[in-house]
Amino acid sequence: MDMPTTHRTPARAAATGDDTTGDDRDRKVFIKTYGCQMNVYDSQRMADALAADGYAATERMEDADLVLLNTCHIREKAAEKVYSELGRIRDLKTERALEGKTLTIGVTGCVAQAEGKEIIRRAPAVDLVVGPQTYHRLPDVLARVRGGARVVETDYAIEDKFEHLPAPKKAVVAKRGVTAFLTVQEGCDKFCTFCVVPYTRGSEVSRPVEQIVAEAERLAAAGVREVTLLGQNVNAWHGQGPDGKAWGLGRLLFRLAEIPGIARLRYTTSHPRDMDDELIAAHGDLETLMPYLHLPVQAGSDRILKAMNRKHAASDYLRLIERIRAARPDIALSGDFIVGFPGETDADFEDTLRLVREVGYASAFSFKYSPRPGTPGAEMDGHVAEQVKDERLQRLQALLVDQQQAFTVSMVGRTMPVLIEKPGRQAGQRVGRSPWLQPVIVDEKAGGIGDIIDVRIMEAGFNSLHAVPA
Ligand code: 5AD
Ligand code: SF4
């Protein structure tokens, strides 16, 4: 979905003093987030659960009593990177011990799910390992850790974790900004042969409509203007509406658009197979739905798509794009690509380039195939030499960068609504987002944070636009 990023949770909730050890000083948690937007969302929800348990969030590991690494398992050597980070944190724990103080170390996220108790075996300084389906149990896990236990919680809980996770306080949401993520779906049943997600996030689960609407209403009440619905297969979301009918993501988007204050909706990440007619139509009929769609295709050769178990041919994807563009002609498309999947020939790779030229992407992420233990791809014959993968990636990225640049430059001279999100890097500036997800830099007098203002694009940088009020 996107490149690994590091995120430090900005939440800073007040301690409640609810301490089972009787230690009444403020406790602090530092959460380091790796990977996709869902991990960013999960880290916020963990911070909310821990705030209710008396932990204030800190952005400095050195100040923390509890360090959580919220990990991602999608890239090669992900687990090894976690182990080396744990080595550094262990040193901090040792220093603390010499001062007679404690530091609790936890691993959460997809590496926690995949490695389980192996983490405690290899990194004995770790006190807790909690998988993505059991974050609501964190306060209980911490109580057990304080009682001297090492805890590994990686089962798929039968209870609904979202029902057990406390809602964030209004002030905390407001502090996080005017855009927010909202997980509506988790897990994946597709089993693409390169991917670990079905093993780390489990099978597809959709959150019920009422829960999602209630969370979106809380976000709106705290000043959020733009909500991005998240799911590993977000467009596979389905539920039962209050009308008793089966709803798909398109219908859900219409419902969320009714919430006062919500001015913009987005969703990510989608699978081509799950783009149904109603969702495609929503792109034409629902003004609140932004004209940007991340729709990974991974490769352009049918042979490779089949080996990847993508369940669609290149022509299916191209037809789908045509239908989406018929509904919303100005939609910007983004995708994910893998080069060097086992068995990929030069001709297969040329098919990928051809597909990219035909679609024209506004942005994209591209990766060299890396075998992930436990996935069918890792066991396949015909692994491609590293040097060939490098060359293919360079050629593909050069094409994608050209397309992205052409898209950015095409904005110059246009007038568009921009949601002002935050102060700019330079004094006197603010940064907003175009409907197509591009950062737009404007003078701070142009509008306040949370305002949607019409601007005229004057100049295009590599990745951002400069604008003046229209
Ligand atoms: N090798 C390379 N890229 C991968 N991705 C997922 N698994 C692998 C892998 N084993 C890419 C896919 C996916 C994105 C999130 O990461 O393109 O869409
Ligand atoms: Fe992974 Fe494929 Fe599922 Fe996406 S659809 S999460 S790539 S298995």
Side-chain angles (χ1 to χ4, degrees), residues 228-435:
T228 301
L229 306 184
L230 297 180
Q232 272 89 26
N233 256 281
V234 71
N235 58 345
W237 180 89
H238 57 94
Q240 194 188 35
D243 54 6
K245 295 197 177 130
W247 281 19
L249 191 68
R251 188 68 197 81
L252 180 68
L253 286 162
F254 272 97
R255 172 67 187 89
L256 296 176
E258 289 169 9
I259 297 173
I262 301 289
R264 291 181 162 197
L265 290 167
R266 304 179 187 275
Y267 61 93
T268 197
T269 285
S270 296
H271 191 288
R273 283 272 296 223
D274 293 318
M275 286 303 295
D276 66 17
D277 292 347
E278 201 177 18
L279 183 54
I280 295 174
H283 278 282
D285 300 338
L286 184 58
E287 223 181 293
T288 316
L289 181 57
M290 292 293 99
Y292 182 97
L293 178 62
H294 183 65
L295 194 62
V297 64
Q298 311 295 354
S301 145
D302 286 346
R303 220 172 52 79
I304 295 301
L305 288 169
K306 197 161 192 307
M308 286 177 163
N309 191 30
R310 286 291 293 176
K311 303 180 172 80
H312 59 77
S315 57
D316 299 328
Y317 182 81
L318 292 171
R319 254 198 315 273
L320 179 59
I321 299 292
E322 254 174 47
R323 289 171 56 216
I324 296 166
R325 281 190 166 142
R328 181 81 204 220
D330 67 340
I331 198 157
L333 291 160
S334 150
D336 291 340
F337 297 90
I338 296 177
V339 299
F341 188 77
E344 187 186 72
T345 62
D346 286 343
D348 292 321
F349 175 63
E350 291 299 329
D351 286 344
T352 299
L353 294 178
R354 196 167 316 121
L355 181 140
V356 170
R357 281 191 208 101
E358 196 158 338
V359 173
Y361 286 91
S363 76
F365 301 100
S366 45
F367 313 95
K368 286 190 286 183
Y369 172 70
S370 74
R372 313 312 327 278
T375 60
E379 308 299 318
M380 287 180 187
D381 294 332
H383 281 270
V384 175
E386 215 43 44
Q387 194 197 337
V388 175
K389 285 188 202 170
D390 282 332
E391 285 163 13
R392 287 181 188 165
L393 189 65
Q394 268 184 29
R395 282 185 64 201
L396 175 61
Q397 288 188 339
L399 175 59
L400 289 167
V401 165
D402 277 356
Q403 291 190 344
Q404 177 172 352
Q405 194 58 26
F407 182 72
T408 309
V409 168
S410 74
M411 296 288 143
V412 176
R414 292 178 62 173
T415 300
M416 63 182 68
V418 160
L419 168 61
I420 308 283
E421 285 184 10
K422 56 188 178 193
R425 249 186 254 145
Q426 287 174 28
Q429 286 184 339
R430 291 219 159 113
V431 185
R433 289 263 171 197
S434 78

Side-chain angles (χ1 to χ4, degrees), residues 134-176:
T134 40
Y135 292 155
H136 56 295
R137 295 186 189 158
L138 261 176
D140 169 60
V141 166
L142 281 163
R144 282 189 277 154
V145 167
R146 273 178 234 126
R150 295 278 178 75
V151 185
V152 178
E153 283 266 7
T154 50
D155 54 338
Y156 292 106
I158 10 159
E159 70 272 17
D160 177 350
K161 77 167 165 190
F162 290 109
E163 259 176 25
H164 290 78
L165 280 166
K169 298 231 162 41
K170 200 167 170 178
V172 172
V173 177
K175 204 155 184 247
R176 287 175 184 161

Side-chain angles (χ1 to χ4, degrees), residues 188 190-192 194-195 197-198 232-233 271 298 310:
C188 180
K190 302 286 190 301
F191 290 92
C192 298
F194 51 80
C195 186
V197 167
Q232 272 89 26
N233 256 281
H271 191 288
Q298 311 295 354
R310 286 291 293 176

